[in-house]
Amino acid sequence: MIKSLFAIILTAILTENYILDKFLGICPFLGVSKNRSSATGMSIAVTVVMVIATAVTWPIYYGILVPKDLAYLETIVFILVIAVLVQLIEIILRKYIPSLYNALGVYLPLITTNCAVLGVTMLVLDKHTADPSAYGYLQALVNAFGAGIGFLVALVMFSGVRERMELNDVPKFMKGLPITLVAASLVSLSFLGFSGLVNGMLG
């Protein structure tokens, strides 16, 4: 049991990273990664939303939508749940951590439409459908936590890369978005090597 949960976390962080492997959540990845502290704060907020959203949407889906044949409404319902959670986190940050709230700016409300958060809540249902006995509610929560940590790893690592780029003499035609996209693709490629490593550790 513990080994399977550990495998889910490692997989969500390294081999199925929602940013670097599935390319979900690219907007905050490019927008908030200029500063390491903002990247960390954003990642923590996204992780909290991912875990709580999964904890809420799973019972809603299997307890309400599926029994009443309303599974086709999952996208709308999940977005509404995520929107409410983001509003709560926004209120908490504005009251208790105003510096982080100001640093995140417009990207905090964008968590509502962050496809990485929505992807975590929806793709985990596919995993349960594929193997119900091995992928239940606990595994879904662990997967959401691992996905959030993977989001954190990707953002913090890329923020370090971007801070280093600011100190380098980048050709004029590559400055701004072009060099950022090139660096992002290289960081994404670097994660391909983890696939064999994780399989070897857990095989």
Side-chain angles (χ1 to χ4, degrees):
M1 181 68 171
I2 294 178
K3 185 176 180 180
S4 66
L5 296 179
F6 185 63
I8 291 172
I9 291 179
L10 271 187
T11 301
I13 296 174
L14 300 177
T15 61
E16 292 184 8
N17 189 290
Y18 277 78
I19 291 180
L20 301 177
D21 180 69
K22 300 182 183 301
F23 307 110
L24 299 175
I26 297 297
C27 178
F29 178 65
L30 297 176
V32 187
S33 58
K34 293 180 181 179
N35 181 277
R36 193 168 300 180
S37 61
S38 297
T40 304
M42 177 71 165
S43 300
I44 293 173
V46 167
T47 302
V48 171
V49 172
M50 282 181 175
V51 174
I52 299 178
T54 301
V56 174
T57 55
W58 180 284
I60 288 177
Y61 182 78
Y62 286 109
I64 300 175
L65 298 183
V66 171
K68 297 185 178 297
D69 293 324
L70 297 174
Y72 60 90
L73 294 175
E74 65 174 310
T75 302
I76 297 173
V77 172
F78 286 13
I79 289 176
L80 289 174
V81 170
I82 293 169
V84 170
L85 292 174
V86 171
Q87 288 298 314
L88 289 175
I89 290 177
E90 188 174 357
I91 292 170
I92 292 170
L93 289 180
R94 182 165 45 189
K95 184 173 182 179
Y96 297 105
I97 317 176
S99 59
L100 179 58
Y101 172 80
N102 293 327
L104 293 177
V106 69
Y107 294 102
L108 185 58
L110 283 178
I111 298 178
T112 302
T113 54
N114 187 339
C115 52
V117 178
L118 183 61
V120 167
T121 59
M122 295 184 71
L123 292 177
V124 76
L125 299 178
D126 295 336
K127 293 183 178 181
H128 175 71
T129 302
D131 191 357
S133 61
Y135 224 93
Y137 186 58
L138 176 60
Q139 287 80 1
L141 294 179
V142 171
N143 177 75
F145 177 73
I149 299 301
F151 194 91
L152 171 66
V153 169
L155 245 69
V156 171
M157 186 172 65
F158 192 57
S159 68
V161 172
R162 294 187 71 173
E163 287 176 2
R164 292 288 298 273
M165 287 194 303
E166 294 293 330
L167 303 176
N168 293 326
D169 186 19
V170 179
K172 188 175 181 180
F173 72 94
M174 288 292 289
K175 287 185 177 179
L177 185 60
I179 191 64
T180 301
L181 293 176
V182 170
S185 64
L186 293 175
V187 171
S188 179
L189 282 173
S190 69
F191 269 60
L192 290 176
F194 287 119
S195 180
L197 177 64
V198 172
N199 291 335
M201 289 174 61
L202 301 173

